[in-house]
Amino acid sequence: SRAGGAYENDPAGYVDWSGSDITPPEAAVSQPPHGAVLNSLVQLAGTAADNAAVSSVTVSILRQDTGLYWDGAAWSAGQTWLDAALAGGAWTYSPVPAWADGSSFAVTARSVDSAGIWSPAAVSVFSYDITAPLSAVLQPGSVQSTTFTYIAGTASDALGVAMVSVNIRRLSDSS
């Protein structure tokens, strides 16, 4: 007969797994936030949880434009899993690599519980941008024009331009 609610059929008979942990843990990446454009990132962070106990958390860092992974010392081919510091339900990883300006990175975290069950991977993709965007006013041609019907210009950035702001000031009274 079957032993317990969950069982496995093996050559020696039915084995009772009713007291075993079969629930995978969870992992999440909170720093960097998914989809963020950052100009500073000194530490990776996230959370890990399990119905029993999380044993450890590992992270992997992919530089998407080169396809290389951070191995803790340099960018290299082949995925590398790095041990994160775990305290309660929170994890952190540092030191981080020198992020390349204008590049995107994928941070993947996974946790393992005391039963040796791995969580699904949690991924956060972010872009790193420390270069200021470029802009230029093309019309009117003179910055001290007395009459003009429109303002035109250009704006560019390696990661795209989200917004352009224009200020107009009257020189005679600064209003």
Side-chain angles (χ1 to χ4, degrees):
S1 75
R2 297 179 179 169
Y7 62 91
E8 177 180 304
N9 187 2
D10 68 13
Y14 292 103
V15 178
D16 185 1
W17 292 102
S18 59
S20 297
D21 178 9
I22 60 169
T23 303
E26 297 175 357
V29 178
S30 58
Q31 188 62 17
H34 183 69
V37 177
L38 303 174
N39 61 14
S40 176
L41 181 62
V42 297
Q43 176 177 275
L44 307 178
T47 58
D50 187 53
N51 65 326
V54 174
S55 294
S56 66
V57 174
T58 58
V59 297
S60 179
I61 305 168
L62 169 66
R63 182 173 167 181
Q64 293 188 309
D65 60 341
T66 63
L68 298 177
Y69 290 87
W70 181 247
D71 68 8
W75 296 102
S76 61
Q79 190 167 25
T80 302
W81 291 99
L82 307 162
D83 293 328
L86 180 62
W91 63 263
T92 57
Y93 176 80
S94 62
V96 296
W99 307 111
D101 185 31
S103 293
S104 292
F105 301 87
V107 174
T108 303
R110 62 184 186 169
S111 62
V112 64
D113 67 13
S114 55
I117 302 170
W118 286 94
S119 71
V123 180
S124 177
V125 176
F126 75 99
S127 298
Y128 191 74
D129 185 8
I130 57 173
T131 302
L134 300 174
S135 63
V137 175
L138 301 176
Q139 183 65 32
S142 168
V143 293
Q144 294 186 7
S145 179
T146 57
T147 61
F148 57 91
T149 56
Y150 68 96
I151 298 172
T154 62
S156 64
D157 187 74
L159 297 175
V161 175
M163 180 180 71
V164 174
S165 292
V166 176
N167 286 328
I168 301 173
R169 185 174 59 141
R170 187 172 43 227
L171 293 177
S172 63
D173 62 3
S174 295
S175 60

